[in-house]
Amino acid sequence: MKRRAFLQSSTATAASLITGWSGAGPALAGGKQTTQVMTVTGEVPADKLGKMLPHEHILVDFVGADQVSPSRYDADEAFKVMLPYVKQVKDAGCEAIAECTPAYLGRDPKLLLRLSKATGMKFLTNTGYYGAQQGKFLPKHAFDESADQLAKRWIAEWKVGIDDTGIRPGFIKIGVDAGPLTNVNRKLVQAAARCHLKTGLTIAGHTGDGKAALEQIDALKMEGVSPSAWVWVHAQNERNSELHIRIARAGAWVEFDGIGPTSINRHVGLVQSMRDADLLNHVLVSHDAGWYSVGEPRGGKVRDFDTVFTRFVPALLKTGFSDDEMKQLVIINPAKAFAIRRTRA
């Protein structure tokens, strides 16, 4: 579809502009659909995932790994609070969300399953551990166990499901501080690499800065894992755009996930720079929004999930991006990034 035809076929509002945007991503393997994405309701063909947000949160609990527990919040209340936000972004055109709250930070796959059934939204949950913020959200055994032992725990969640839910993770979420990597953060990267080689799950790495991103790439290669299996989460926080280009050229995914009403212009510039370098096919965009915050009345102030669809994509179109480029950003790239496949260096 040409841009003019696309715009003429859309209604006046930005939300309906995106809702009316049809077309699945291409088959991802030799013209036949063989790759899958794991959602909380089961496997979905990657080319049926639809428009996706690769980094959002439904619920988080920042109390720390030594105190976090489902008993700290009312799951019914969290469901009621978050349901309108999920419906809102679904109405704006979104069809899938990677929910990035890791274990020991409030991960709740049952809540995601409930919201999925109520709205039709495809949710991905995760395995892995979050080592950023000096390990506040790591369980004690993460410091004591080897990378192989940690990987074994995460592989078990892939095989049999998370806790007693039977719900399987759709990706590996880790977190590291700014570089140089600490010993425990490097161990998390190694464990994630070994888990990937057994499961095919993509690694999404919360990353403190570009130095830590480069070190993760090197650590993955040493484990025999291709950078294409790794997502640089929060890449917008690194002000040196040359590192975005360098890491994308290495094959990794560069995720600009701080999109909100006040950051649209900056994120338009970030995406433009990647397109100018012919690297749009390595870019992911999202908000890092939500979320029901445990410990605050009714979850505190929740941020909308729909700015990508209602304001950011229209802003890109106004600067000359094409419909095909929008499809690349919102449909094709996330489908490729989260497709289950083992990638060796």
Side-chain angles (χ1 to χ4, degrees):
M1 184 187 296
K2 299 295 186 181
R3 183 172 185 270
R4 178 174 300 188
F6 171 64
L7 291 173
Q8 288 175 341
S9 69
S10 305
T11 61
T13 66
S16 61
L17 183 81
I18 297 301
T19 303
W21 178 21
S22 62
L28 301 179
K32 294 183 179 180
Q33 178 55 46
T34 59
T35 51
Q36 302 287 312
V37 173
M38 181 61 71
T39 75
V40 296
T41 59
E43 287 188 340
V44 174
D47 68 348
K48 302 298 182 185
L49 199 60
K51 307 175 194 72
M52 181 178 176
L53 293 171
H55 193 101
E56 309 296 341
H57 296 272
I58 291 296
L59 180 146
V60 293
D61 188 350
F62 293 111
V63 70
D66 57 342
Q67 299 180 61
V68 70
S69 168
S71 66
R72 284 180 33 83
Y73 61 93
D74 182 338
D76 288 337
E77 180 186 86
F79 172 81
K80 291 175 183 177
V81 169
M82 296 307 297
L83 181 62
Y85 293 94
V86 178
K87 287 182 175 178
Q88 180 184 37
V89 70
K90 186 75 161 51
D91 290 343
C94 183
E95 299 166 78
I97 293 175
E99 208 279 350
C100 291
T101 303
Y104 300 96
L105 250 166
R107 180 184 62 172
D108 190 337
K110 288 183 179 179
L111 178 59
L112 300 184
L113 179 62
R114 190 174 173 186
L115 287 166
S116 180
K117 290 181 176 179
T119 64
M121 183 68 72
K122 305 178 191 80
F123 280 104
L124 285 66
T125 189
N126 61 84
T127 191
Y129 290 163
Y130 184 90
Q133 297 192 36
Q134 292 75 51
K136 177 181 178 181
F137 306 107
L138 287 176
K140 184 179 182 302
H141 66 255
F143 296 95
D144 301 332
E145 292 184 352
S146 68
D148 279 339
Q149 288 173 312
L150 294 178
K152 184 176 179 181
R153 288 178 180 270
W154 305 345
I155 293 165
E157 290 193 329
W158 165 248
K159 289 181 176 178
V160 302
I162 296 168
D163 299 328
D164 61 350
T165 67
I167 297 170
R168 297 168 69 190
F171 62 104
I172 304 162
K173 172 68 183 293
I174 59 173
V176 303
D177 287 314
L181 295 180
T182 63
N183 289 338
V184 69
N185 282 344
R186 184 173 297 277
K187 182 168 62 175
L188 295 179
V189 179
Q190 293 168 337
R194 295 170 196 183
C195 181
H196 167 78
L197 291 174
K198 293 292 186 181
T199 65
L201 294 176
T202 296
I203 304 163
H206 168 111
T207 300
D209 63 1
K211 180 176 176 61
L214 291 170
E215 290 190 36
Q216 286 178 86
I217 292 283
D218 288 343
L220 291 171
K221 288 180 178 179
M222 289 182 67
E223 293 288 330
V225 174
S226 167
S228 64
W230 181 74
V231 179
W232 179 4
V233 174
H234 310 321
Q236 74 279 356
N237 293 338
E238 173 54 64
R239 293 288 171 168
N240 183 355
S241 60
E242 292 181 2
L243 291 181
H244 300 152
I245 292 170
R246 178 178 171 183
I247 287 177
R249 284 181 175 157
W253 296 96
V254 177
E255 183 178 278
F256 303 128
D257 50 44
I259 296 172
T262 63
S263 67
I264 290 173
N265 289 341
R266 177 162 188 268
H267 280 80
V268 166
L270 289 168
V271 175
Q272 283 178 321
S273 293
M274 297 298 281
R275 182 186 66 170
D276 292 345
D278 198 26
L279 290 167
L280 193 66
N281 61 337
H282 287 271
V283 176
L284 299 172
V285 294
S286 210
H287 308 92
D288 190 18
W291 50 64
Y292 184 98
S293 185
V294 175
E296 298 184 24
R298 290 189 59 80
K301 182 175 176 57
V302 178
R303 290 191 292 131
D304 295 338
F305 297 115
D306 65 344
T307 303
V308 163
F309 301 101
T310 60
R311 298 181 61 178
F312 182 65
V313 166
L316 288 174
L317 290 170
K318 287 181 180 179
T319 64
F321 279 76
S322 69
D323 297 342
D324 285 343
E325 288 170 329
M326 294 303 92
K327 186 183 291 186
Q328 182 85 50
L329 275 178
V330 184
I331 298 177
I332 297 173
N333 287 357
K336 288 184 176 180
F338 287 89
I340 301 166
R341 62 188 185 279
R342 296 176 182 85
T343 58
R344 295 187 178 273

